[in-house]
Structures are given as structure tokens and as C-alpha cells.
């Protein structure tokens, strides 16, 4: 969301609105470099009555803020239900793409289905052959012949995060109902799964502050979520172990995706995100408690990649446990006083013997 502050003495609010309407078609046609699946937010921010208003390449009359906060008479703000636990800079920089080799037929099936989903995302988000990595190491290799544009990356981020929030909700819901039905405790799985789903939704809300999906993208997301939700619902009823392995492999793809984006930022291929005037959305600053001087697009993606690395380690670990009676090791208190395991840097997950 590239922005420039325009002082009122140079341009009145009405003039700024007319100007944004005039240049919008030109930017959409050639200069902004974003695909038609999204409308990129922001040309200029003007100070109006002490508040900042953002304009987009969408005509001002049609632009609306996604997920606006609800103004009420008494409530000031609603804090996150699950505050983010935070990372050290060392933890975020230590995250690397990795892959857990399939060991059972269920692992193999989960891995192949993830690869099929990856092909579908590449196809629908317009990734060219020269923009793809080496097929022999699809979740580790990050070298490409031609980089993606900022628009392609945002499109991929939106698509990825819109379905990434589904597995935790489905699994948490089914385990909740299972616990009620069997009159037994769940031993901490439900909270972790719902928090994972919430965290993924925060990723989506952050990217929604940077671009607005077009009608085709919205239809695509509706269809993908419908298929994905029902498929996960059935597979979790049949085999929670395989489903968690599938999510672990899916998170491997997410870590790989964000690692590629960081690499292309470092190499200077994404100048809009390296622009000094670029500012990450306030929702991201508040959720991840991003410090001053660490609020660039690269910093944001480092936080999000670390989240995905956590989900990768958590789901691979949960797949290794006894699904009905093992406690959740990530929220448990250990007899010897040791801290719960940290999944972000355990790419292949913990084996049952390591945490039980």
C-alpha cells in the first residue's frame, strides 16, 4: 500500500478525490503492475479533520474498507481473543523451507494431494513456467528464472490465507463435538487448533488491507473454501492423523512461498515493497507488536512465515500422536519443569517419544 502524505495547502480533499478518479484508469491499465484479480489499495493519503483517508485505484465512490471496525456508543476496541505470543528476530530468521519425507501410505497420499493443490494455485494465480522452482525439490528450492510481481504475490497470499484458516476450525469443531459426545476431555487440542485458524485469518485480514479482490477472485475463493471445508470435514472424520499430515505439508508450502517472497525482496525484484514510503497496515503492527524501525514488508512476511513454520511443526507433531488420548504437548506443563516444545524450528515435527 504505497502512500504519500499530501499537505492540505497543496491539494484540497475534493481536488484529491477528483485527481484519484482521473488517474485510476491509467494506473489500472499499465503502470501499477497488478493483475485484474485484485484492486490495489492506495494512491494518496490526505489529512482530513485529523484523520487519514486512503484512496485506491477503485473509484472512490465504490471503494470500501474490508472488515471495518464497528463503532458503538460504549465499546472502544475489541482486542484479539488470542494475543500473539511473539518471536525473537533470531527465531524468525532461522526459519527455512523443509520437507518431511512420507513414511506411510497416508503420508504419501497427503503429500500428493498437497502437490495437486499447489498446481491449482499456480494455475489460477497466473504463475508462469519461468517463475516456478525446480520440480525435484518443490518445497526447498527457491531459485527462479523470472521473479513474480507484487501483484502476483498478493494474489497468492490472499488465495493461500483464505483457505489456510479452514483446517484448524474444522478440526477444532469436530474435536469439540467429539469431546461432548463421548463425555471426555480433549486434553488441549481444541484451543491450539482454533488459535491456528484465528492466526491464519489475521494473515488474511492484513493482506486485505493492502488490496481488494475482484469478482473473479471472490468467486474462486468461495468455490475453493466450499470444496476445502467439506473435504477436510470428511477426511478428519475418517483419519485425523492423515488430515494433520496434510496440513503439515500444506504449511511447508506456505513457508516455501513466503521464503521466496523474502528472497525476491532482498534481491530488489519487488521495488514497491522496498519503497521508503511503504507502510504495513496498522492491524499488523498491533497484532504482532511490530517495533519501530521493523515495519517493512519484509518484516511483516518474516512474522507471517514464522507463524506458518509453527503450524507446520504443530500439525506434523499432532499427526505423530495418538489421536484419542494423547495430550497436546504445546500447552502442557511437564513434570520436570521443562518448557513446552517450540514448533517453529522443528520443521518435521516432534516424534511422539520426544514429547510424551
Amino acid at each position: 500500500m504505497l502512500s504519500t502524505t499530501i499537505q492540505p495547502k497543496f491539494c484540497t480533499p475534493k481536488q484529491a478525490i477528483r485527481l484519484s478518479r482521473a488517474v485510476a484508469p491509467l494506473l489500472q491499465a499499465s503502470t501499477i503492475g497488478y493483475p485484474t484479480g485484485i484492486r490495489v489499495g492506495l494512491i494518496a493519503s490526505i489529512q482530513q479533520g485529523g484523520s487519514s483517508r486512503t484512496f485506491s485505484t477503485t473509484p472512490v465512490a465504490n471503494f470500501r474498507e474490508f472488515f471495518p471496525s464497528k463503532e458503538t456508543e460504549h465499546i472502544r476496541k475489541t482486542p484479539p481473543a488470542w494475543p500473539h505470543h511473539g518471536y525473537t528476530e533470531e527465531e524468525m530468521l532461522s526459519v527455512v523451507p523443509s520437507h518431511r519425507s512420507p513414511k506411510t501410505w497416508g503420508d504419501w497420499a497427503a503429500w500428493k494431494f498437497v502437490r495437486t493443490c499447489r498446481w491449482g494455485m499456480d494455475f489460477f494465480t497466473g504463475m508462469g513456467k519461468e517463475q516456478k522452482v525446480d520440480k525435484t525439490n518443490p518445497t526447498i528450492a527457491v531459485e527462479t528464472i523470472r521473479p513474480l510481481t507484487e501483484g502476483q504475490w498478493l494474489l497468492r497470499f490472499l488465495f493461500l490465507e483464505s483457505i489456510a484458516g479452514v483446517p484448524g476450525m474444522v478440526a477444532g469443531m469436530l474435536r469439540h463435538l467429539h469431546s461432548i459426545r463421548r463425555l471426555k476431555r480433549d486434553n488441549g487440542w481444541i484451543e491450539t487448533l482454533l488459535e491456528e485458524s484465528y492466526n491464519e485469518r489475521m494473515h488474511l485480514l492484513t493482506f486485505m488491507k493492502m488490496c481488494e479482490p475482484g469478482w473473479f477472485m471472490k468467486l474462486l475463493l468461495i468455490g475453493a473454501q466450499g470444496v476445502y471445508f467439506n473435504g477436510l470435514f470428511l477426511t478428519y472424520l475418517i483419519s485425523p492423523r492423515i488430515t494433520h499430515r496434510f496440513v503439515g505439508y500444506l504449511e511447508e508450502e506456505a513457508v516455501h512461498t513466503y521464503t521466496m517472497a523474502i528472497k525476491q525482496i532482498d534481491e530488489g525484484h519487488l521495488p514497491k515493497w522496498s519503497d521508503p514510503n511503504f507502510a504495513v497496515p496498522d492491524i499488523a503492527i498491533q497484532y504482532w507488536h511490530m517495533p519501530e524501525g521493523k515495519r517493512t514488508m519484509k518484516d511483516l512476511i518474516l512474522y507471517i512465515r514464522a507463524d506458518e513454520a509453527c503450524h507446520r511443526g504443530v500439525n506434523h507433531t499432532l499427526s505423530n500422536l495418538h489421536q484419542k488420548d494423547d495430550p497436546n504437548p504445546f500447552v502442557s506443563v511437564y513434570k520436570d519443569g521443562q518448557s513446552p516444545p517450540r514448533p517453529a524450528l522443528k520443521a518435521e515435527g516432534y516424534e511422539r517419544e520426544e514429547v510424551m
Side-chain angles (χ1 to χ4, degrees), residues 15-78:
Q15 289 173 330
I17 292 174
R18 289 196 293 268
L19 177 63
S20 67
R21 286 174 173 169
V23 302
L26 299 176
L27 291 172
Q28 287 179 326
S30 61
T31 62
I32 199 71
Y34 285 89
T36 56
I38 56 177
R39 300 187 186 99
V40 176
L42 176 229
I43 295 178
S45 295
I46 63 171
Q47 297 301 322
Q48 181 176 354
S51 63
S52 177
R53 182 177 179 182
T54 302
F55 295 91
S56 105
T57 52
T58 305
V60 177
N62 298 331
F63 183 80
R64 65 185 179 88
E65 181 183 8
F66 277 72
F67 312 107
S69 58
K70 175 69 175 179
E71 291 292 336
T72 65
E73 183 178 355
H74 300 292
I75 296 175
R76 179 178 301 169
K77 62 180 292 187
T78 304

Side-chain angles (χ1 to χ4, degrees), residues 328-334 337-343 350:
N328 177 2
F330 301 105
V331 297
S332 298
V333 178
Y334 284 78
Q338 73 180 55
S339 300
R342 300 280 287 181
Y350 292 88

